[in-house]
Amino acid sequence: MSMALKQVFNKDRTFRPKRKFEPGTQRFELHKKAQASLNAGLDLKQAVQLPHGEDLNDWVAVHVVDFFNRINLIYGTISDSCTDQTCPVMSGGPKYEYRWQDEHKYKRPTALSAPKYMSLLMDWIEVQINNENIFPTNVGTPFPKTFMQVAKKILSRLFRVFVHVYIHHFDRVSQMGAEAHVNTCYKHYYYFVTEFNLTDQKELEPLKEMTARMCH
C-alpha cells in the first residue's frame, strides 16, 4: 500500500461513524474469524464461505456491517469530487439511474443528486444496523424473520455505490493509488453476495463486464 493511500485510509475518513462489534460477543468473534481469513491471504472465494457450525444470519450480519464500513470509507475518499454539480443524478453511466425511496419523506422513487442519495443511503443503513430488532447484538436473541430481506436490500443498495464510484469516479480512485484496495473490496463483496444469493443478477448488471474480467 502506498504512503498516500495509507494516509487516506488511516485517517478513518468514513462518511459516517463506524458500527463496531462489542468485544466478547459472538459477533465480535465471527468478525475476527472473517478478518483472520482475509489477513491470512485466503482466497476470497473461500474466505466468504460459512464457517462450519456457524449461523448464517450471524455470518451475514457481520459482513453487512463490515461492507457498510468499508464502502463508506471508499465513498468518503472520493466524496470531495462527487458534488451536486458534477453528479446531479445518482447514476451508473447513461443506462442506469438510481432513484431514492424510503418510508418517510420519499415515498415514491425520486431522482436525486449522487451526494444526496449517498447521504440518505448511509443514514438509512445506519438506522437498520443499529436497530436491535433487526440486528440483535445479544447472543441468544433471535433474528427477525425479515432479517435476510433487510440484509439483501442493504447489500443491493451498497452495490450502487460501487457502480457510481467505478463508472464516474475511478480516475480519482486511481489518482489516490486506491485502485487495488477498491478492487479487493469489490471482489470480496461480489463473492459474498453470490455465495449466498443476496443480490439479484439484474442489480449486478451495470458492472457485469468488469466483474467477468475481475472475478472469473
Side-chain angles (χ1 to χ4, degrees):
M1 197 187 272
S2 69
M3 276 310 291
L5 182 57
K6 269 209 171 92
Q7 283 170 349
V8 167
F9 289 109
N10 288 348
K11 272 182 200 158
D12 205 18
R13 264 184 74 190
T14 35
F15 194 54
R16 288 279 176 279
K18 277 193 168 196
R19 162 80 193 262
K20 290 194 166 64
F21 299 102
E22 292 303 315
T25 62
Q26 186 183 3
R27 207 80 37 80
F28 181 74
E29 294 309 314
L30 263 186
H31 176 65
K32 281 203 317 194
K33 197 179 276 192
Q35 287 304 310
S37 296
L38 291 177
N39 295 341
L42 192 65
D43 173 67
L44 285 170
K45 238 177 179 168
Q46 283 180 285
V48 299
Q49 290 169 10
L50 182 67
H52 182 69
E54 297 295 354
D55 176 66
L56 178 60
N57 284 339
D58 272 318
W59 190 237
V60 169
V62 162
H63 282 81
V64 167
V65 173
D66 189 44
F67 287 131
F68 168 63
N69 287 336
R70 289 163 70 196
I71 293 168
N72 232 335
L73 180 57
I74 288 168
Y75 182 69
T77 60
I78 62 94
S79 59
D80 55 353
S81 59
C82 181
T83 66
D84 292 342
Q85 287 69 43
T86 60
C87 305
V89 174
M90 173 57 182
S91 62
K95 268 177 78 177
Y96 300 96
E97 183 184 322
Y98 299 117
R99 298 186 167 209
W100 181 257
Q101 185 174 15
D102 57 33
E103 305 80 39
H104 308 293
K105 191 177 169 185
Y106 299 95
K107 300 209 169 161
R108 291 184 177 171
T110 308
L112 297 169
S113 69
K116 178 72 175 157
Y117 184 102
M118 296 292 187
S119 181
L120 288 166
L121 172 61
M122 299 308 178
D123 280 345
W124 175 79
I125 294 176
E126 205 178 351
V127 168
Q128 309 307 309
I129 62 179
N130 286 303
N131 183 339
E132 286 284 332
N133 295 324
I134 303 172
F135 280 73
T137 49
N138 295 330
V139 179
T141 305
F143 282 86
K145 288 190 172 71
T146 54
F147 171 71
M148 277 299 175
Q149 195 183 326
V150 175
K152 282 181 179 182
K153 194 168 184 180
I154 292 173
L155 290 166
S156 291
R157 285 180 160 183
L158 280 174
F159 179 75
R160 297 168 182 186
V161 182
F162 277 124
V163 174
H164 187 73
V165 168
Y166 270 117
I167 292 174
H168 296 279
H169 299 288
F170 206 66
D171 52 344
R172 182 88 180 105
V173 170
S174 300
Q175 223 177 26
M176 297 170 84
E179 199 169 336
H181 176 89
V182 175
N183 287 347
T184 301
C185 185
Y186 175 70
K187 280 178 12 184
H188 189 195
Y189 167 94
Y190 176 79
Y191 287 135
F192 187 79
V193 297
T194 50
E195 172 76 13
F196 301 107
N197 198 21
L198 294 168
T199 303
D200 289 342
Q201 285 305 311
K202 198 179 87 176
E203 189 75 46
L204 300 173
E205 200 70 26
L207 297 180
K208 197 176 170 184
E209 284 177 26
M210 184 196 82
T211 306
R213 287 195 306 273
M214 202 189 281
C215 302
H216 297 295

